[in-house]
Structure formats: C-alpha cells, structure tokens
Amino acid sequence: MSSYKAWFQCINEKCSEKYPLNTVIYRCKSCESLLEVRHDMQALAHRSAKAWMKLFEERYKSTQWPYGSGIWGKKEWVLPQIHNDNIVSLYEGGSNLFWAERFGKLIGVDNLWLKLCGNSHSGSFKDLGMTVLVSQVKQMISEGVPIQAVACASTGDTSAALAVYCAAAGIPSIVLLPKGKISIAQLVQPIANGALVLSLDTDFDGCMRVVQEITKDETIYLANSMNSLRIEGQKTVGIEIVQQFDWEVPDVIVIPGGNLGNVSALGSGLLMMRDLGLITKLPRIVVAQAERANPLYRSYLRNFESFEPMEARKTLASAIQIGNPVSIEKAIRTLKQFDGIVMDATESELADAAALGDTTGMFNCPHTGVALAAMIKLIKAGKIDRSEHVVVISTAHGLKFTDFKVQYHEEKLGFPSNYANKPIELPPTVSAVKKALEQALQKRRTING
Ligand SMILES: *Cc1c(COP(=O)(O)O)cnc(C)c1O
Ligand SMILES: [Zn+2]
C-alpha cells in the first residue's frame, strides 16, 4: 500500500514546486498558483488496468470498511498514504445512475442517464471531497500538526458537508455563509452538526475573501475547493460513472459549474483512467452555468483567450452564484483536454427544465436544472446528437431546495412557470372531490389526445 505516493504540485508548468500532503498550504509558495495532487503514476502502473478494475469492482459498495465507500474503494488513486484509522467516511459515493428514458425521449436523446450525486449523506456531491479533506486533517492532527479547526466559505453545500464530516471526526468546524442567500435546509445542516456558523452580510465571493484571510493562521485549516484535497475525492465521480457502465465511456458528460472545482475533478479522474489504461477514449465535457453567474461561458465565447471575473447576480441556482471562480485555470485546462463546451441557462430555462424533469420522475435541485436546460439547448443547436450516450451530473438533492420548488408551483418566481402543478383547495365533501376529479381527468384526456 505505502509504495504508492501522492504530493501537492503547483499547476504552473514553469514552476511545478512540490509539497508534502501534510503541509498546511493552498497555493504555491513560489508563484501563488493553485496546487493539485499528483500521484506516482509509475508505481500505480505496476498493477494492470484489468487488475485495477477487478479490485475496484470487488470493493464497490462492499461492507469491508472503508473500501465500500466510492472514494476509499479507490484509495490508492486518491490518498494512498492515509492510515485507515484516520479515514472519516460516511459511505459516500456509489450513488445511483439511472436511465432517464421518458425525459430523454421528450427532449430528443434516447440514451440519457442521470448520476444522482445528491443521494449522499449530506445531500450533495461535496461529500466526495470532504471525506478526503477531513481524513487528511485527522491524520495531520494525529501526527501533531497544530490544527484547531477547519473552516470554509460556502454557498450552502460545502458547509453542510464540512460540518457533518467534522462532527463525525470530533474536529471543530467553522462556516462562513452569505446571509439570506442559501436555503433553510442548507443553513440548518451545519447548525445541527454543531459547526460555528458565521452569517455574513455579503455574497459568496465576499465570504471567500474573508475565509482566505482567517486561514492565514495555519491552525485554522481551509476546506474550500482551492484546497486540492477536495478535488481528489470528487475526481472519483467520473471513474465511478465509467465503472457503472461496465467500463464503457459515455459520449458526453454535463456538469453544472460555479467555483469550477468539480469540473476539474471530473476531468482529472478520467485522465487518470486513461493514463493507467482503463479507458482509451474521453467523453466531451459540458459545463452548464446560470446566465446570472456565467464568467466561464463568457470566456468560452472568446475561445478562452481572456477571462474576466464578474459580480454574480442573484440566481435560483444559489450554489453556483459565483462570479470569480477559484479553479478557473484548472477548468479551462480541462475543457481544452475534453473538447469542452460551455452553455448557460436563464432563470426561467433552469426552472422549467428542473420542473419538466420532475414530471418524468426526477426531483431536481436548481443546479441540476441548469445542467438539464443547457443540455436541451445543445440538443436544439445540434451540438448533442440524438444517438449520443449522455450523462448529466445531478449535484444536490432536490429536498434541499423545497422553497424553489414551492415558489415555482405557486407561480411566484416572477416569470411564467410552464409546468406549474397547483394543489386544488376544496371543501371536505365527496361531491366537491368527485367534481374536481372529473374535471382533472377530462383535462388529462384532452391533453393526451
Ligand atoms: C458546489 C456545487 C456546485 C458547483 O460546484 P463547483 O465545484 O463550485 O463548480 C454545483 N451544484 C451544487 C449543488 C453544489 O453544491
Ligand atoms: Zn508555483
């Protein structure tokens, strides 16, 4: 096990400084660029692609702790030097991937699948990265590194994941949230898990600025995705999708993007599979952004020749309301490697797409709505073909965003809700109910022809 090695490395190729994983560091000391975790690929290549696939399959969802976790079943590729005693796992990963047959047919793709990363302990994909980060912190504390607490700025889901993993490990957590800009469900999660919750009268980018200052004190460890340990866990999502398809690579993967750590992670896992011979082709990656927070889309329109941060405007897709994404360079690099496309979606497009999906048996969060809307636009534009095998990454559970859904169906979002389904209020009598049923069923017969 310990023959495998990983370290932090500066992403700037002219610099490439290396640092051990147990250093408290988020940016390169020489050039300030972000870091990424790099692995000793030669050591990993001693095991054949077939043998890796067999090992991953044997462990997948088993009860052999910690290897049944979707992350720790791939431990050698993620964090090879961690002691199992220090692993903080809530059995993350292994989320369901289903054929969205009815929805696909409605919008014009036959082979559409949804990867439900929100079906996870804290209700979003953020668990995938947080298990890795908090495990590494536990190991550092056990080695005597003086860490008092772990802190993050969050649009909601990062703080929920950080708080719950820290609670499981018995490590104090601190979360900085933009006041009034996250859902009640997301706010109550870190509160319930005993985090120190700081609600700041600013937006996410404002919280991010403050937390970067606070964590200059090295005893407070930073858990945002500029810390590349998060990316190491999140990178398993692409590997897991391919494994779930019996090692067949889909044609297109659509993912919503805000701070852009997750798209970089998706790319990184797939490249590792290719480099170790598990796959020979790569999918195209589509990043979907809310039109009100679309700096990556704007840069894409300029062929990535320039990038300008923007002030993100309020969007229903609150977890991606980010105007100055920290992982922009990594994301552009990924998109160039994966023949990438970026598309955006307006508020009404994202809300209708989420709701239309729900009518076919999904239960979408608004960010998944952004991904679905972007995909619909790309199908219409002929950039995704009917016959292609498409996977949409659903990033959070719809139950975290009930306010959004209630307001949509009550038609209170300030634009037409094209798929609103309002409850009918009636007196509690059989005759009133019968009459309402007749009318409703009549209407349905007319619609269905
Ligand atoms: C964090 C988050 C995203 C965006 O991920 P990035 O890595 O910031 O691009 C999308 N959807 C949900 C639900 C999230 O919590
Ligand atoms: Zn550097």
Side-chain angles (χ1 to χ4, degrees):
M1 177 84 42
S2 53
S3 62
Y4 301 117
K5 278 196 198 69
W7 58 89
F8 287 128
Q9 187 166 321
C10 174
I11 62 167
N12 174 356
E13 274 162 24
K14 291 190 203 104
C15 172
S16 299
E17 279 278 313
K18 295 178 183 178
Y19 307 88
L21 290 183
N22 59 2
T23 344
V24 179
I25 190 167
Y26 319 108
R27 283 188 184 275
C28 178
K29 283 191 183 144
S30 325
C31 76
E32 292 275 299
S33 296
L34 286 187
L35 304 172
E36 65 188 340
V37 176
R38 287 286 194 93
H39 292 261
D40 179 347
M41 296 295 279
Q42 273 181 340
L44 290 168
H46 284 319
R47 197 188 287 245
S48 71
K50 273 227 158 62
W52 281 120
M53 294 190 267
K54 187 163 172 283
L55 180 69
F56 294 165
E57 279 170 6
E58 279 164 7
R59 289 172 173 175
Y60 190 66
K61 292 192 163 190
S62 76
T63 50
Q64 191 204 346
W65 196 91
Y67 301 107
S69 150
I71 311 303
W72 300 110
K74 300 176 172 67
K75 175 179 166 174
E76 296 83 353
W77 288 30
V78 172
L79 212 55
Q81 289 132 298
I82 194 105
H83 300 297
N84 282 2
D85 292 349
N86 290 324
I87 288 181
V88 186
S89 171
L90 299 166
Y91 206 70
E92 48 291 311
S95 57
N96 49 321
L97 172 66
F98 75 90
W99 182 26
E101 183 182 7
R102 267 193 73 213
F103 185 75
K105 296 220 157 103
L106 276 179
I107 61 166
V109 269
D110 295 325
N111 201 4
L112 172 65
W113 295 70
L114 242 73
K115 175 67 172 164
L116 291 192
C117 293
N119 286 9
S120 180
H121 191 77
S122 80
S124 86
F125 76 82
K126 298 294 200 292
D127 290 354
L128 306 180
M130 214 51 92
T131 182
V132 173
L133 184 136
V134 174
S135 298
Q136 178 63 30
V137 169
K138 190 171 171 195
Q139 178 140 317
M140 287 157 73
I141 291 174
S142 78
E143 289 167 353
V145 180
I147 295 175
Q148 300 185 71
V150 187
C152 73
S154 176
T155 53
D157 292 326
T158 301
S159 54
L162 176 64
V164 82
Y165 279 90
C166 281
I171 298 169
S173 64
I174 303 166
V175 307
L176 281 70
L177 299 169
K179 189 175 163 191
K181 294 191 174 72
I182 68 170
S183 79
I184 294 281
Q186 289 172 317
L187 176 62
V188 81
Q189 288 183 287
I191 290 177
N193 290 129
L196 179 63
V197 179
L198 306 174
S199 177
L200 308 189
D201 194 5
T202 177
D203 56 5
F204 170 79
D205 296 301
C207 291
M208 196 63 225
R209 278 192 293 275
V210 175
V211 83
Q212 291 191 50
E213 290 300 315
I214 306 285
T215 51
K216 283 185 178 159
D217 170 352
E218 290 194 359
T219 70
I220 301 178
Y221 192 77
L222 178 68
N224 281 97
S225 61
M226 64 185 285
N227 184 328
S228 53
L229 290 171
R230 292 257 314 276
I231 307 299
E232 282 313 282
Q234 290 171 207
K235 86 179 180 196
T236 59
V237 68
I239 307 172
E240 186 169 292
I241 289 170
V242 174
Q243 181 176 350
Q244 283 173 305
F245 286 124
D246 294 325
W247 309 104
E248 202 178 284
V249 181
D251 298 312
V252 183
I253 301 182
V254 186
I255 186 169
N259 227 354
L260 305 177
N262 209 23
V263 58
S264 326
L266 173 65
S268 153
L270 292 163
L271 289 176
M272 203 159 169
M273 290 183 92
R274 187 199 57 187
D275 294 346
L276 291 169
L278 282 73
I279 57 175
T280 49
K281 75 162 214 182
L282 295 176
R284 272 183 296 148
I285 291 181
V286 175
V287 175
Q289 292 210 295
E291 188 198 48
R292 292 185 164 184
N294 63 353
L296 181 68
Y297 178 64
R298 293 174 189 212
S299 173
Y300 169 74
L301 294 181
R302 295 188 295 262
N303 271 322
F304 299 128
E305 271 152 25
S306 60
F307 171 78
E308 276 167 39
M310 62 185 279
E311 186 157 342
R313 286 177 295 148
K314 188 171 168 54
T315 165
L316 293 162
S318 50
I320 55 175
Q321 188 178 321
I322 295 173
N324 190 13
V326 69
S327 294
I328 182 69
E329 286 170 54
K330 288 184 182 176
I332 291 177
R333 186 178 69 181
T334 304
L335 286 166
K336 288 182 176 166
Q337 286 162 322
F338 286 80
D339 191 15
I341 301 180
V342 187
M343 183 47 92
D344 69 356
T346 65
E347 297 299 286
S348 104
E349 286 168 344
L350 76 89
D352 274 341
L356 180 64
D358 288 359
T359 68
T360 68
M362 302 176 186
F363 195 71
N364 294 310
C365 77
H367 321 88
T368 307
V370 171
L372 295 175
M375 176 184 58
I376 292 171
K377 290 166 90 168
L378 291 172
I379 294 168
K380 282 193 183 139
K383 294 199 175 157
I384 294 178
D385 192 73
R386 164 147 231 142
S387 62
E388 285 188 292
H389 180 189
V390 184
V391 179
V392 172
I393 295 188
S394 171
T395 45
H397 201 293
L399 283 174
K400 283 199 183 206
F401 298 90
T402 46
D403 321 354
F404 155 68
K405 287 185 179 295
V406 169
Q407 285 178 18
Y408 179 88
H409 289 289
E410 289 180 345
E411 306 188 273
K412 285 185 182 155
L413 288 178
F415 49 78
S417 302
N418 289 317
Y419 306 100
N421 181 24
K422 271 193 188 165
I424 305 167
E425 291 186 13
L426 294 173
T429 65
V430 173
S431 62
V433 170
K434 274 192 172 163
K435 196 167 159 218
L437 281 181
E438 267 164 31
Q439 280 173 355
L441 296 176
Q442 173 67 39
K443 195 165 138 200
R444 183 147 299 197
R445 276 195 297 274
T446 328
I447 292 170
N448 293 341

